[in-house]
Amino acid sequence: MNRAVMAFAVLVLDSELSSAAPQELTRCVAGQQVIDKEGRSGVIVADDNKLCQVKYADGQIYDWIFWNLRPRAPAAEPAVVTPDASVPDRTGTPPSTTAPPALTILRPSSSRTLVYRADRRGHFSLTATVNGAPTRFVVDTGASLVALTLDDARAAGIGRSELIFNQVTQTANGRVRFASVMLREVRVEQLSIENVPAAVIENLDQSLLGMSFLKRLKSFEMREGALTISW
């Protein structure tokens, strides 16, 4: 075999190996079998923007950002071994044709999980600490950033003189100005996330726990009046 043919064969083999490697998802597709970052297999049952709702064998459903999932390769067909009729069974016992029962392994539930109940309006409220200061939040998956009121920012050690309100965003109450900040730490009970991008918004009357915090979690789920977060 000449060098050109050998080089082409190596190129084809490398291409086949690359295409066989599992890739991260580019979007959520209901019905697709996937594997999460923890190595658990499940199936996407619904999607909400960039969030894939994945159902597992134990019936639990968790929300995942799509780039934390990869497609599950189809299971290989098991090899079928046919007994050789030319070899006698010395025990006199006919070979069994019953396959052994499938083994199901359920992962134990993680202790790194918090659950909150919705209030009468259907909102999820919780108390966190921002840079060590207690702060009351409403969870808002529609907010791309954690948003702080001026008072909550001041309590977290962010002075008005440090804020530059040079950006504008659209809210339900119209266009408002905000200042970008980086929070040293946001802690919810035993869960702690550092270096969280946030916005301090003028005339905001309630701080919001947005996606710059939520997307750093392993998963979160809003279902049947309960918010479950895991990390």
Side-chain angles (χ1 to χ4, degrees):
M1 181 182 295
N2 60 41
R3 293 185 179 179
V5 174
M6 290 179 64
F8 177 75
V10 171
L11 180 61
V12 170
L13 178 59
D14 181 66
S15 175
E16 290 177 350
L17 291 175
S18 298
S19 62
Q23 303 295 322
E24 294 180 350
L25 294 187
T26 57
R27 62 190 182 96
C28 302
V29 178
Q32 183 173 10
Q33 294 187 353
V34 293
I35 298 175
D36 63 27
K37 291 177 63 177
E38 300 295 315
R40 298 186 302 167
S41 298
V43 60
I44 298 175
V45 295
D47 63 272
D48 179 12
N49 196 6
K50 295 181 180 180
L51 297 178
C52 307
Q53 292 188 0
V54 179
K55 185 174 184 179
Y56 296 93
D58 57 4
Q60 296 189 49
I61 298 177
Y62 288 98
D63 287 347
W64 286 89
I65 305 295
F66 68 84
W67 57 71
N68 288 326
L69 300 170
R70 56 188 173 88
R72 179 185 176 188
E77 292 292 333
V80 178
V81 179
T82 304
D84 189 348
S86 64
V87 180
D89 183 358
R90 299 183 183 277
T91 64
T93 303
S96 172
T97 59
T98 304
L103 178 63
T104 301
I105 300 176
L106 298 179
R107 294 169 61 91
S109 59
S110 172
S111 60
R112 296 159 64 91
T113 298
L114 297 171
V115 179
Y116 296 91
R117 304 298 302 182
D119 60 22
R120 295 178 181 177
R121 299 174 298 170
H123 297 162
F124 296 99
S125 300
L126 56 86
T127 298
T129 58
V130 177
N131 297 349
T135 306
R136 191 66 176 170
F137 282 104
V138 169
V139 177
D140 186 355
T141 58
S144 59
L145 296 173
V146 171
L148 295 178
T149 66
L150 286 171
D151 288 342
D152 287 340
R154 186 181 306 110
I158 305 171
R160 181 64 184 258
S161 61
E162 303 176 47
L163 301 175
I164 302 175
F165 292 90
N166 59 352
Q167 300 186 61
V168 177
T169 186
Q170 184 69 37
T171 70
N173 297 323
R175 294 168 63 85
V176 295
R177 297 193 309 162
F178 71 93
S180 296
V181 295
M182 182 67 71
L183 305 179
R184 183 180 70 253
E185 180 195 41
V186 177
R187 175 179 288 273
V188 181
E189 298 189 34
Q190 65 267 40
L191 162 63
S192 174
I193 296 181
E194 298 179 345
N195 300 322
V196 179
V200 179
I201 301 179
E202 288 184 325
N203 302 321
L204 184 67
D205 56 7
Q206 171 64 63
S207 291
L208 306 174
L209 196 62
M211 291 301 296
S212 60
F213 176 87
L214 297 173
K215 71 181 181 181
R216 302 271 294 275
L217 302 172
K218 185 182 80 172
S219 66
F220 66 92
E221 176 191 22
M222 295 179 178
R223 183 184 181 194
E224 297 179 354
L227 166 66
T228 303
I229 61 177
S230 301
W231 69 97

